[in-house]
């Protein structure tokens, strides 16, 4: 029996013990590990599968040969150098990976970047056997008398995958202009670049057909979204139509052909959906898929043979997979019959569409992956993303709705420990990040960790969350710390009214915007909470907005956040004297989403004010807890901090 199976057996043995003790708890590391399986792809022939698997502090590229029945490490990552963002087969032998790195700038280059670090992305190529590794985009070389060129900060924006030309990709790069990118054809074996389309202000993103014809560019002019559409004379600028001034700008999902595309937009009914659009006039020609209650911010599923969308995976209250094609529906029904009670999503397939990787998602299970062979209707289990979490400990995130104080209906998810009566439990309020995002019923390792410790969990989708329509999204604009925060507190009131929560034992925990909400609660409503945990949260709204001025699309962010007196009233760093509960603050110094300086300055202000807090800076840490050691550090710190302040009742052992 291998070490992992032995450990899992021990954990299951603990769970079956007669008396509960700390030793019976599932170890913190079971939740804080990087997912054991992720990032799948299938080779064109269907003979190989790649995936990302953890070892040490990060994820590594592993290739499984289904014919030879072997598995090998193809490329290891070093978190001090780069992290994998995803890998794809180009041929059965050649793989292209997108990676990101955090680069320390020279002092003269720091400029707009606090702590002197920037995030860069690169494309790496490697053969399936681990040989012939290379950085695909060659470093720029400046020669006397020639035009100045740069190494692009972002080098992995693929304009077209060119599926019929496996030796090339179409990518956009800022080589000749630091703001507006050019489009190049990249030879993924030789690393040669061929200019295809020259930069055009204010185009920030280019789009092309699958055979490589660049037909569209999009950007902002005076904060308004504009499109540049190719015609016989070149590119013609046109405003991007919106159903109303309040509706978000449409986003391009994919180019269908030279004269049509698919966009995600609110066409006037208040919900985002997939629409077919004519590229000549940017007018909608039909609805690909819409939901009458929810925004359809989802992932289109394509038939790899025809390259046409055959379904969409998106979120209602629960994850939902809808098919447009009868044959794919029939195949999905067959898989669902074999894996009942789950949403079974094809996440990768070969070119002939007869070998698939299926991700099986269940309300009470960690994501589990299977290989499906259509020819013999065979399912083979790869494994689960979190194998050390006992399945009988995983709690369901149940969708609920409650009324905010102004009457707005707020969607949320509630989870309680299994085998415990949902009455007067210590509770974690867990607002999501973004804030223009949403929580779902999908497996959440944070939530499952808290539930394993005996806490009930509330995950509110406060106003301003996506997924619930344009009006609900816009209701959160300029409401940081105000109505958005009221929605969080009103959710706690609902939990207490339902009898689920012990009002004397509540802590608020969050990351990013959720960390901001935890900080606001610590000074606006400290009487409602015993403690607060802030991971990589915003503490200084004014500093955040100053930083966004230096980046593209920053004006959109600034328009959605407070200004004037409201900016000061809702900025935690301006109110450290009013903080009334203990704080745990954790932040990585390579965070490029919420700058580390936010927490560093807050810690200094709290120290000066004499407030109780624990501060854990994470050297080399980013916004995503990409290092296994830092994920574990955070979870162990939260475990001790919450135990101290909530004194939880542990879950009852099974009988």
């Amino acid at each position: 029996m291998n070490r992992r199976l032995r450990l899992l057996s021990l954990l299951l043995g603990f769970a079956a013990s007669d008396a509960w003790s700390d030793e019976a708890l599932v170890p913190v590391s079971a939740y804080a590990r990087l997912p054991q399986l992720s990032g799948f792809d299938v080779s064109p022939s269907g003979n190989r599968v790649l995936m990302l698997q953890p070892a040490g502090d990060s994820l590594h590229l592993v290739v499984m040969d289904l014919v030879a029945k072997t598995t090998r490490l193809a490329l290891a990552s070093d978190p001090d150098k780069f992290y994998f963002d995803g890998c794809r087969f180009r041929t059965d032998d050649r793989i292209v990976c997108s990676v990101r790195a955090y680069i320390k700038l020279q002092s003269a280059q720091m400029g707009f970047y606090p702590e002197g670090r920037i995030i860069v992305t690169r494309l790496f190529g490697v053969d399936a056997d681990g040989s012939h590794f290379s950085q695909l985009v060659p470093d720029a070389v400046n020669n006397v008398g020639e035009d100045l060129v740069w190494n692009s900060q972002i080098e992995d924006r693929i304009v077209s995958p060119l599926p019929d030309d496996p030796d090339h990709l179409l990518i956009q790069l800022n080589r000749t202009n630091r703001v507006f990118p050019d489009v190049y054809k990249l030879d993924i074996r030789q690393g040669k670049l061929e200019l295809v389309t020259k930069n055009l202000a204010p185009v920030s993103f280019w789009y092309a057909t699958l055979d490589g014809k660049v037909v569209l560019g999009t950007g902002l002019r005076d904060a308004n979204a504009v499109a540049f559409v190719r015609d016989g004379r070149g590119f013609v600028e046109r405003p991007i139509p919106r159903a109303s001034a309040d509706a978000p700008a449409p986003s391009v999902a994919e180019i269908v052909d030279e004269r049509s595309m698919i966009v995600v937009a609110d066409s006037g009914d208040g919900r985002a959906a997939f629409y077919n659009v004519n590229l000549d006039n940017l007018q909608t020609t039909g609805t690909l898929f819409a939901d009458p209650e929810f925004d359809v911010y989802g992932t289109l599923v394509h038939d790899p043979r025809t390259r046409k969308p055959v379904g969409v995976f998106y979120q209602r209250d629960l994850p939902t997979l809808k098919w447009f094609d009868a044959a794919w529906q029939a195949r999905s029904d067959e898989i669902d019959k074999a894996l009942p009670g789950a949403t079974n999503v094809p996440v990768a397939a070969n070119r002939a569409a007869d070998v698939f990787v299926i991700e099986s998602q269940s309300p009470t299970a960690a994501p589990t992956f299977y290989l499906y062979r259509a020819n013999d209707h065979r399912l083979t289990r790869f494994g689960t993303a979190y194998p050390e979490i006992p399945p009988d400990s995983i709690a369901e995130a149940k969708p609920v709705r409650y009324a905010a104080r102004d009457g707005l209906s707020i969607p949320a998810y509630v989870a309680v420990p299994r085998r415990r009566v949902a009455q007067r439990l210590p509770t974690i309020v867990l607002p999501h990040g973004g804030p223009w995002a949403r929580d779902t019923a999908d497996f959440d390792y944070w939530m499952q960790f808290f539930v394993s410790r005996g806490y009930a969990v509330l995950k509110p989708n406060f106003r301003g969350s996506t997924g619930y329509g344009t009006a609900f999204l816009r209701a959160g604009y300029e409401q940081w710390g105000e109505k958005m925060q009221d929605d969080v507190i009103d959710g706690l009131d609902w939990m207490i009214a339902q009898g689920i929560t012990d009002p004397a034992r509540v802590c608020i925990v969050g990351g990013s915007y959720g960390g901001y909400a935890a900080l606001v609660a610590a000074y606006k409503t400290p009487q409602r909470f015993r403690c607060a945990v802030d991971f990589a949260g915003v503490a200084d709204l004014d500093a955040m907005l100053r930083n966004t001025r230096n980046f593209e699309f920053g004006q959109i962010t600034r328009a959605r956040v407070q200004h004037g007196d409201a900016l000061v009233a809702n900025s935690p760093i301006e109110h450290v004297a009013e903080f009334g509960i203990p704080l745990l603050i954790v932040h990585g110094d390579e965070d490029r989403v919420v700058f580390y300086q936010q927490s560093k300055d807050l810690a200094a202000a709290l120290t000066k004010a004499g407030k109780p807090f624990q501060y854990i800076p994470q050297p080399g840490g980013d916004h995503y807890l990409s290092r296994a050691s830092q994920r574990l550090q955070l979870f162990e710190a939260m475990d001790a901090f919450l135990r101290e302040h909530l004194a939880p009742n542990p879950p009852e052992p099974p009988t």
Side-chain angles (χ1 to χ4, degrees), residues 467-541:
Y468 301 96
T470 300
F472 192 83
L473 173 68
R474 289 192 62 83
Y477 290 0
E478 300 184 50
Q479 293 299 323
W480 286 50
E482 297 189 354
K483 290 184 178 180
M484 294 165 75
Q485 191 75 12
D486 291 344
D487 293 345
V488 174
I489 303 303
D490 293 343
L492 172 58
D493 287 338
W494 180 87
M495 291 281 285
I496 294 169
Q498 298 298 307
I500 299 170
T501 291
D502 179 351
R505 291 188 295 165
V506 183
C507 283
I508 182 168
V509 178
S512 197
Y513 177 86
Y516 165 80
L519 294 175
V520 172
Y523 76 86
K524 281 197 172 185
T525 53
Q527 72 280 6
R528 305 302 306 276
F529 299 97
R530 296 288 300 275
C531 62
V533 177
D534 159 34
F535 171 72
V538 176
D540 187 339
L541 291 181

Side-chain angles (χ1 to χ4, degrees), residues 390-524:
D392 66 355
S393 74
I394 295 176
E396 181 178 359
K398 295 183 178 180
V400 301
R401 282 187 176 261
Y402 60 85
R405 63 193 66 182
D406 63 359
L408 185 64
S409 178
I410 305 298
Y413 295 91
V414 173
V416 298
R418 294 176 70 166
R419 298 180 296 274
R420 280 199 67 82
V421 178
Q423 292 180 359
R424 295 186 67 81
L425 296 174
T427 295
I428 303 297
V429 177
L430 187 62
H432 62 72
W436 306 296
R438 63 164 288 187
D439 260 320
T440 70
D442 294 345
F443 179 89
D444 177 354
Y445 70 99
W446 286 62
M447 184 192 78
Q448 296 300 337
F449 169 67
F450 295 136
V451 170
S452 78
R453 268 49 193 163
Y455 309 119
V457 178
L458 169 70
K459 299 168 67 175
N461 278 319
F462 42 82
R463 72 191 70 201
S465 301
T466 58
Y468 301 96
T470 300
F472 192 83
L473 173 68
R474 289 192 62 83
Y477 290 0
E478 300 184 50
Q479 293 299 323
W480 286 50
E482 297 189 354
K483 290 184 178 180
M484 294 165 75
Q485 191 75 12
D486 291 344
D487 293 345
V488 174
I489 303 303
D490 293 343
L492 172 58
D493 287 338
W494 180 87
M495 291 281 285
I496 294 169
Q498 298 298 307
I500 299 170
T501 291
D502 179 351
R505 291 188 295 165
V506 183
C507 283
I508 182 168
V509 178
S512 197
Y513 177 86
Y516 165 80
L519 294 175
V520 172
Y523 76 86
K524 281 197 172 185

Side-chain angles (χ1 to χ4, degrees), residues 329-643:
Q329 177 71 67
R331 179 180 292 163
S332 182
D333 291 344
E334 176 188 0
I335 295 171
D336 290 346
K337 186 175 180 180
L339 302 172
T343 303
N344 302 301
V345 184
V347 294
N350 68 331
R351 191 165 294 165
D354 57 15
V355 179
F356 297 86
V357 174
I358 303 296
E359 181 178 355
S360 185
Q361 302 184 11
S362 165
T364 55
T368 305
F369 299 92
Y370 296 84
L371 183 73
Y372 173 72
R373 300 178 187 270
N375 293 337
D376 58 8
H377 310 280
R378 181 156 49 103
L379 274 170
T380 304
R381 188 177 186 270
F382 280 115
T384 178
Y386 292 89
E388 296 171 4
I389 300 177
D392 66 355
S393 74
I394 295 176
E396 181 178 359
K398 295 183 178 180
V400 301
R401 282 187 176 261
Y402 60 85
R405 63 193 66 182
D406 63 359
L408 185 64
S409 178
I410 305 298
Y413 295 91
V414 173
V416 298
R418 294 176 70 166
R419 298 180 296 274
R420 280 199 67 82
V421 178
Q423 292 180 359
R424 295 186 67 81
L425 296 174
T427 295
I428 303 297
V429 177
L430 187 62
H432 62 72
W436 306 296
R438 63 164 288 187
D439 260 320
T440 70
D442 294 345
F443 179 89
D444 177 354
Y445 70 99
W446 286 62
M447 184 192 78
Q448 296 300 337
F449 169 67
F450 295 136
V451 170
S452 78
R453 268 49 193 163
Y455 309 119
V457 178
L458 169 70
K459 299 168 67 175
N461 278 319
F462 42 82
R463 72 191 70 201
S465 301
T466 58
Y468 301 96
T470 300
F472 192 83
L473 173 68
R474 289 192 62 83
Y477 290 0
E478 300 184 50
Q479 293 299 323
W480 286 50
E482 297 189 354
K483 290 184 178 180
M484 294 165 75
Q485 191 75 12
D486 291 344
D487 293 345
V488 174
I489 303 303
D490 293 343
L492 172 58
D493 287 338
W494 180 87
M495 291 281 285
I496 294 169
Q498 298 298 307
I500 299 170
T501 291
D502 179 351
R505 291 188 295 165
V506 183
C507 283
I508 182 168
V509 178
S512 197
Y513 177 86
Y516 165 80
L519 294 175
V520 172
Y523 76 86
K524 281 197 172 185
T525 53
Q527 72 280 6
R528 305 302 306 276
F529 299 97
R530 296 288 300 275
C531 62
V533 177
D534 159 34
F535 171 72
V538 176
D540 187 339
L541 291 181
D542 185 57
M544 180 190 76
L545 294 182
R546 288 198 309 272
N547 288 327
T548 64
R549 293 189 184 99
N550 303 322
F551 298 96
E552 198 170 15
F553 306 114
Q555 61 261 52
I556 294 176
T557 297
R558 294 196 298 275
R560 295 180 178 184
V561 184
Q562 265 75 333
H563 51 81
D565 292 343
L567 192 68
V568 175
N570 295 289
S571 192
I573 202 165
E574 302 287 348
H575 300 275
V576 290
E578 300 159 48
F579 276 56
I581 53 177
L583 292 171
L584 171 63
I585 303 168
V586 182
H587 208 145
D589 68 0
E590 289 188 346
D591 191 336
R592 299 295 81 201
V593 179
V594 176
F595 290 148
Y596 167 69
Q597 194 71 33
Q598 293 267 337
S599 292
K600 186 178 178 181
D601 290 346
L602 177 63
L606 289 167
T607 299
K608 185 176 181 180
K611 297 296 180 177
F613 74 99
Q614 180 183 356
Y615 175 44
I616 303 176
Q618 294 188 318
D622 65 6
H623 198 68
Y624 314 106
L625 290 169
S626 297
R627 295 181 185 237
S629 59
Q630 292 177 345
R631 190 172 291 202
L632 180 60
Q633 180 187 42
L634 169 64
F635 273 53
E636 288 180 337
M638 287 196 299
D639 194 29
F641 183 76
L642 295 172
R643 280 170 178 260

